Amino acid sequence: KNQVEQSPQSLIILEGKNCTLQCNYTVSPFSNLRWYKQDTGRGPVSLTIMTFSENTKSNGRYTATLDADTKQSSLHITASQLSDSASYICVVMKGGSYIPTFGRGTSLIVHP
Amino acid sequence: DAGVIQSPRHEVTEMGQEVTLRCKPISGHDYLFWYRQTMMRGLELLIYFNNNVPIDDSGMPEDRFSAKMPNASFSTLKIQPSEPRDSAVYFCASRTTSNTEAFFGQGTRLTVV
């Protein structure tokens, strides 16, 4: 079964600190991996997309990494801000399919 | 563009009643997805359409759920009769064929009491 597992399930950090969220997947064949940010009461919004040949991609303070060999991705948030409090969802697209597989997300809370 | 528009934002209904959720995708997007999100299961794909045609409805939990897309700018998800376990946030998303990024609406929070 194609799965996307995320860890930790939830995370609390102080404003200004860095954090790293993990995503492991078994989806095969692999097409691409996206990280979405979902603010409370809103729909998910794409942060980054990574294809098989990409190892690192940044979007401001967000940096995603991908190791296609070990089927692992991470999302690193630098100098966290209160507005980073949200759920972060890892989504993997299977090659040849239009149906993405979603992880359950990591709930991040940034405290002042 | 206003993005994907869903209505209502919140719906509270009694068990056994019919519920209809509505979605207007982004103009020009030829794929439309209906998702359900719960704390326990995260985001689950219910059904998706391509050019208004239902392609895969294997995620629809029961016959009580049905979805239609009568034209490129409108889709509905209907639950009849509704049950308390249907309580969740229902999202509609759309995308184009060439871009795998799905754009989500703000969701409809459904509570069945």
Side-chain angles (χ1 to χ4, degrees), chain A:
Chain A
K1 180 179 179 180
N2 291 324
Q3 287 188 329
V4 177
E5 300 290 341
Q6 292 188 242
S7 63
Q9 190 172 20
S10 60
L11 183 62
I12 301 174
I13 61 174
L14 291 176
E15 184 179 13
K17 297 297 185 181
N18 304 335
C19 67
T20 301
L21 315 180
Q22 300 289 344
C23 174
N24 297 339
Y25 62 92
T26 59
V27 176
S28 182
F30 173 85
S31 175
N32 62 65
L33 183 150
R34 284 185 186 273
W35 283 93
Y36 278 85
K37 179 187 180 188
Q38 184 177 18
D39 291 313
T40 301
R42 295 190 170 273
V45 176
S46 178
L47 289 174
T48 64
I49 178 175
M50 302 188 73
T51 57
F52 186 87
S53 59
E54 296 174 300
N55 299 120
T56 303
K57 183 168 284 189
S58 293
N59 178 1
R61 295 179 297 100
Y62 301 100
T63 300
T65 66
L66 175 67
D67 185 334
D69 292 330
T70 62
K71 298 186 176 181
Q72 296 179 327
S73 176
S74 66
L75 181 68
H76 186 75
I77 304 175
T78 303
S80 60
Q81 300 176 358
L82 299 180
S83 59
D84 294 331
S85 295
S87 180
Y88 292 83
I89 303 172
C90 177
V91 183
V92 182
M93 188 73 78
K94 185 177 179 180
S97 169
Y98 290 100
I99 302 177
T101 302
F102 287 79
R104 292 191 182 183
T106 291
S107 176
L108 174 66
I109 297 175
V110 181
H111 274 307

Side-chain angles (χ1 to χ4, degrees), chain B residues 88-108:
Chain B
V89 181
Y90 291 82
F91 286 102
C92 176
S94 70
R95 52 165 280 201
T96 63
T97 299
S98 57
N99 186 352
T100 61
E101 178 180 359
F103 291 83
F104 285 78
Q106 297 207 52
T108 294

Side-chain angles (χ1 to χ4, degrees), chain A residues 42, chain B residues 1-6 24-29 92 94 103-106:
Chain A
R42 295 190 170 273
Chain B
D1 198 315
V4 176
I5 300 173
Q6 291 187 246
K24 181 182 188 305
I26 293 173
S27 177
H29 284 194
C92 176
S94 70
F103 291 83
F104 285 78
Q106 297 207 52

